[in-house]
Amino acid sequence: MKKYIAIALIATGTAAFAHSGVKDPDVMNRMMGMSELANQMKVIGSMAKGEAAFDAAAIDAALAKISEEAGYIPSLFEKKALDPKSEALPVIWDDFDTFTARATDLEKVSGGLVGTVQTSADLGPAVQQIGKACGACHGDFRAK
Ligand code: HEC
């Protein structure tokens, strides 16, 4: 589970400079959406790592936000927008149904976790489940 936490934190750290130089507004928008997801993951990840005090209400808020944002992913990617800085793979638009299904998975997984993280022992498995849903889409649709 440590691996997933690390991935989420690394993703957050690189997001800001990955944006620089992006000219296409649609690409910028979807990157901002992804950064927002990474920010919420960081809230949960920092508690999982013991860097922040356990706060069930903050976790539920982050989980609900991730679920809400996940619902917007298909609309953020609906237009085939390209940019030299983009890591989006063209296969997104060849198989938009699968892409949408991955977003729905994240929406359901994170939404389903709301209210279930009651002690710090529940954090690791929650981060792992969400990280898996992020990774399932990145694995097929984002350049590594
Ligand atoms: C349905 C597919 C999908 C899901 C689910 C998904 N992502 Fe992404 N993500 C992408 C794609 C595609 C890109 C590349 C976008 C681009 O560069 O144009 C991306 C890019 C990113 C980036 C880099 C943004 C930047 O500034 O370049 C971060 C950070 C990120 N995702 C975090 C997450 C996190 C955290 C989750 C889970 C909570 C998640 N993503 C879930 C498809 C997804």
Side-chain angles (χ1 to χ4, degrees), residues 27 30-31 34 77-96 99 102 135-144:
V27 172
R30 70 197 187 204
M31 285 179 167
M34 286 293 153
F77 282 88
E78 209 159 28
K79 195 171 141 206
K80 185 174 181 176
L82 303 169
D83 188 285
K85 298 268 179 182
S86 173
E87 295 168 327
L89 295 176
V91 67
I92 292 171
W93 298 280
D94 296 336
D95 193 359
F96 205 70
F99 183 79
R102 297 282 155 80
C137 186
H138 291 167
D140 287 338
F141 296 109
R142 180 187 176 191
K144 276 147 272 196

Coordinates of all heavy atoms in Angstrom, one line a residue, residues 27 30-31 34 77-96 99 102 135-144:
V27 N -6.7 21.1 -22.7 CA -5.7 20.3 -22.1 C -5.4 20.8 -20.7 O -5.3 20.1 -19.8 CB -4.4 20.2 -23.0 CG1 -3.3 19.5 -22.3 CG2 -4.7 19.5 -24.3
R30 N -8.2 19.9 -18.2 CA -8.2 18.5 -17.7 C -7.0 18.2 -16.8 O -7.1 17.4 -15.9 CB -8.3 17.5 -18.9 CG -7.1 17.4 -19.7 CD -7.4 16.7 -21.1 NE -6.2 16.4 -21.8 CZ -6.1 16.3 -23.1 NH1 -7.1 16.4 -23.9 NH2 -4.9 16.1 -23.7
M31 N -5.9 18.9 -17.1 CA -4.7 18.7 -16.2 C -5.1 19.3 -14.8 O -4.7 18.8 -13.8 CB -3.5 19.5 -16.8 CG -2.9 18.7 -17.9 SD -1.4 19.6 -18.5 CE -0.6 18.4 -19.6
M34 N -7.1 16.9 -13.0 CA -6.3 15.8 -12.5 C -5.5 16.3 -11.2 O -5.3 15.5 -10.3 CB -5.3 15.3 -13.5 CG -6.0 14.4 -14.6 SD -6.6 12.9 -13.9 CE -7.9 12.5 -15.0
F77 N -12.5 15.3 -21.1 CA -11.7 14.7 -22.2 C -12.5 14.5 -23.4 O -12.0 13.9 -24.4 CB -11.2 13.3 -21.7 CG -9.9 13.4 -20.8 CD1 -10.1 13.6 -19.4 CD2 -8.7 13.4 -21.3 CE1 -9.0 13.6 -18.6 CE2 -7.5 13.5 -20.5 CZ -7.7 13.6 -19.2
E78 N -13.8 15.0 -23.4 CA -14.7 14.7 -24.5 C -14.1 15.2 -25.9 O -14.1 14.5 -26.9 CB -16.0 15.4 -24.3 CG -17.2 14.7 -24.9 CD -18.5 15.1 -24.2 OE1 -18.6 16.2 -23.7 OE2 -19.4 14.3 -24.3
K79 N -13.5 16.4 -25.8 CA -12.9 16.9 -27.1 C -11.5 16.4 -27.2 O -10.7 16.4 -26.2 CB -12.9 18.5 -26.9 CG -12.7 19.1 -28.2 CD -12.8 20.6 -28.1 CE -11.8 21.3 -29.0 NZ -11.5 22.7 -28.5
K80 N -11.2 15.9 -28.4 CA -9.9 15.4 -28.6 C -8.9 16.6 -28.7 O -8.6 17.1 -29.8 CB -9.8 14.5 -29.9 CG -8.5 13.9 -30.1 CD -8.4 12.9 -31.2 CE -7.0 12.3 -31.4 NZ -7.0 11.3 -32.4
A81 N -8.4 17.0 -27.6 CA -7.5 18.2 -27.6 C -6.1 17.6 -27.4 O -5.9 16.8 -26.5 CB -7.9 19.1 -26.5
L82 N -5.2 18.2 -28.2 CA -3.8 17.7 -28.0 C -2.9 18.9 -27.7 O -3.2 20.0 -28.1 CB -3.4 17.0 -29.3 CG -4.2 15.8 -29.8 CD1 -3.9 15.4 -31.2 CD2 -4.1 14.7 -28.8
D83 N -1.8 18.6 -27.1 CA -0.8 19.6 -26.8 C 0.6 18.8 -26.6 O 0.6 17.7 -26.1 CB -1.2 20.3 -25.5 CG -0.3 21.5 -25.1 OD1 0.9 21.3 -24.7 OD2 -0.8 22.6 -25.3
P84 N 1.6 19.4 -27.1 CA 2.9 18.7 -27.0 C 3.2 18.3 -25.5 O 3.9 17.3 -25.3 CB 4.0 19.8 -27.4 CG 3.2 20.8 -28.2 CD 1.8 20.7 -27.7
K85 N 2.7 19.0 -24.5 CA 3.0 18.7 -23.1 C 2.0 17.7 -22.6 O 2.2 17.2 -21.5 CB 2.8 20.0 -22.3 CG 3.7 21.1 -22.6 CD 5.0 21.0 -21.8 CE 5.9 22.2 -22.1 NZ 7.2 22.1 -21.4
S86 N 1.0 17.3 -23.3 CA 0.0 16.4 -22.8 C 0.5 15.0 -22.8 O 1.3 14.5 -23.7 CB -1.2 16.4 -23.7 OG -2.1 15.4 -23.4
E87 N 0.1 14.3 -21.8 CA 0.5 12.8 -21.6 C -0.7 11.9 -22.0 O -0.7 10.7 -21.8 CB 0.9 12.6 -20.2 CG 2.1 13.3 -19.8 CD 2.4 13.2 -18.3 OE1 1.4 13.2 -17.5 OE2 3.6 13.2 -17.9
A88 N -1.8 12.6 -22.5 CA -3.0 11.8 -22.9 C -2.7 11.0 -24.1 O -2.2 11.5 -25.1 CB -4.1 12.7 -23.1
L89 N -3.0 9.7 -24.1 CA -2.8 8.8 -25.3 C -4.0 8.9 -26.2 O -5.1 8.9 -25.7 CB -2.5 7.4 -24.8 CG -1.3 7.1 -24.0 CD1 -1.2 5.7 -23.6 CD2 0.0 7.5 -24.8
P90 N -3.8 9.0 -27.5 CA -4.9 9.1 -28.5 C -5.9 7.9 -28.4 O -7.1 8.1 -28.7 CB -4.2 9.0 -29.9 CG -2.7 9.4 -29.6 CD -2.4 9.0 -28.2
V91 N -5.5 6.8 -27.8 CA -6.4 5.7 -27.6 C -7.6 6.1 -26.8 O -8.7 5.4 -26.9 CB -5.7 4.4 -27.1 CG1 -5.2 4.7 -25.6 CG2 -6.5 3.2 -27.2
I92 N -7.5 7.2 -26.0 CA -8.7 7.7 -25.2 C -9.9 7.8 -26.1 O -11.0 7.4 -25.8 CB -8.4 9.0 -24.5 CG1 -7.3 8.8 -23.4 CG2 -9.6 9.7 -24.0 CD1 -6.8 10.1 -22.9
W93 N -9.6 8.5 -27.3 CA -10.7 8.8 -28.2 C -11.1 7.7 -29.1 O -12.1 7.7 -29.8 CB -10.4 10.1 -28.9 CG -10.2 11.2 -27.9 CD1 -11.3 11.9 -27.4 CD2 -9.0 11.7 -27.4 NE1 -10.8 12.8 -26.4 CE2 -9.4 12.7 -26.4 CE3 -7.7 11.4 -27.5 CZ2 -8.5 13.4 -25.7 CZ3 -6.8 12.1 -26.8 CH2 -7.1 13.1 -25.9
D94 N -10.3 6.6 -29.2 CA -10.6 5.4 -29.9 C -11.5 4.5 -29.1 O -12.2 3.7 -29.6 CB -9.3 4.6 -30.3 CG -8.4 5.4 -31.3 OD1 -9.0 6.3 -32.0 OD2 -7.2 5.1 -31.3
D95 N -11.3 4.6 -27.8 CA -12.1 3.7 -26.9 C -12.6 4.5 -25.7 O -12.3 4.3 -24.6 CB -11.1 2.6 -26.4 CG -11.9 1.5 -25.7 OD1 -13.1 1.6 -25.6 OD2 -11.2 0.5 -25.3
F96 N -13.4 5.5 -26.1 CA -13.9 6.4 -25.0 C -14.8 5.7 -24.0 O -14.9 6.1 -22.9 CB -14.6 7.6 -25.7 CG -14.7 8.8 -24.8 CD1 -13.5 9.6 -24.6 CD2 -15.9 9.3 -24.2 CE1 -13.5 10.7 -23.8 CE2 -15.9 10.4 -23.4 CZ -14.7 11.1 -23.2
F99 N -12.6 4.3 -21.4 CA -12.0 5.4 -20.7 C -13.1 5.9 -19.7 O -12.8 6.1 -18.5 CB -11.7 6.6 -21.6 CG -11.0 7.8 -21.0 CD1 -9.7 7.8 -20.6 CD2 -11.8 8.9 -20.8 CE1 -9.1 8.9 -20.0 CE2 -11.2 10.0 -20.2 CZ -9.9 10.0 -19.8
R102 N -13.5 3.6 -16.7 CA -12.5 3.8 -15.7 C -12.8 5.0 -14.8 O -12.5 4.9 -13.6 CB -11.1 4.0 -16.4 CG -10.7 2.8 -17.2 CD -10.1 1.7 -16.3 NE -10.2 0.4 -17.0 CZ -9.4 0.0 -18.0 NH1 -8.3 0.7 -18.3 NH2 -9.6 -1.2 -18.6
G135 N -4.7 4.3 -11.2 CA -3.7 3.6 -12.0 C -4.3 2.8 -13.1 O -3.6 2.7 -14.2
A136 N -5.5 2.3 -12.9 CA -6.1 1.5 -14.0 C -6.3 2.3 -15.2 O -6.1 1.8 -16.3 CB -7.4 0.9 -13.5
C137 N -6.7 3.6 -15.0 CA -6.8 4.4 -16.2 C -5.5 4.9 -16.7 O -5.3 4.9 -17.9 CB -7.7 5.6 -15.8 SG -8.1 6.6 -17.3
H138 N -4.6 5.4 -15.8 CA -3.3 5.9 -16.3 C -2.6 4.8 -17.1 O -1.9 5.1 -18.1 CB -2.5 6.3 -15.1 CG -3.0 7.6 -14.4 ND1 -2.5 8.0 -13.2 CD2 -3.9 8.5 -14.8 CE1 -3.1 9.1 -12.9 NE2 -4.0 9.4 -13.9
G139 N -2.7 3.5 -16.6 CA -2.0 2.4 -17.3 C -2.3 2.3 -18.7 O -1.4 2.0 -19.5
D140 N -3.5 2.5 -19.1 CA -3.9 2.4 -20.5 C -4.0 3.7 -21.3 O -3.9 3.7 -22.5 CB -5.4 1.8 -20.6 CG -5.4 0.3 -20.2 OD1 -4.3 -0.3 -20.3 OD2 -6.4 -0.2 -19.8
F141 N -4.2 4.8 -20.6 CA -4.6 6.0 -21.3 C -3.6 7.2 -21.1 O -3.9 8.3 -21.6 CB -6.0 6.4 -20.9 CG -7.1 5.4 -21.3 CD1 -7.7 4.7 -20.4 CD2 -7.4 5.3 -22.7 CE1 -8.7 3.7 -20.8 CE2 -8.3 4.3 -23.1 CZ -9.0 3.6 -22.1
R142 N -2.6 7.0 -20.3 CA -1.7 8.1 -20.0 C -0.3 7.6 -20.3 O 0.1 6.5 -19.9 CB -1.8 8.5 -18.6 CG -0.9 9.7 -18.2 CD -0.9 9.9 -16.7 NE 0.0 10.9 -16.3 CZ 0.3 11.2 -15.0 NH1 -0.3 10.5 -14.0 NH2 1.1 12.1 -14.7
A143 N 0.5 8.4 -21.1 CA 1.9 8.1 -21.4 C 2.7 8.1 -20.1 O 2.5 8.9 -19.2 CB 2.4 9.1 -22.4
K144 N 3.6 7.1 -20.0 CA 4.4 7.0 -18.8 C 5.7 7.7 -19.0 O 6.2 7.9 -20.0 CB 4.6 5.5 -18.4 CG 3.4 5.0 -17.6 CD 3.1 3.5 -17.9 CE 2.2 3.4 -19.1 NZ 1.4 2.3 -19.4

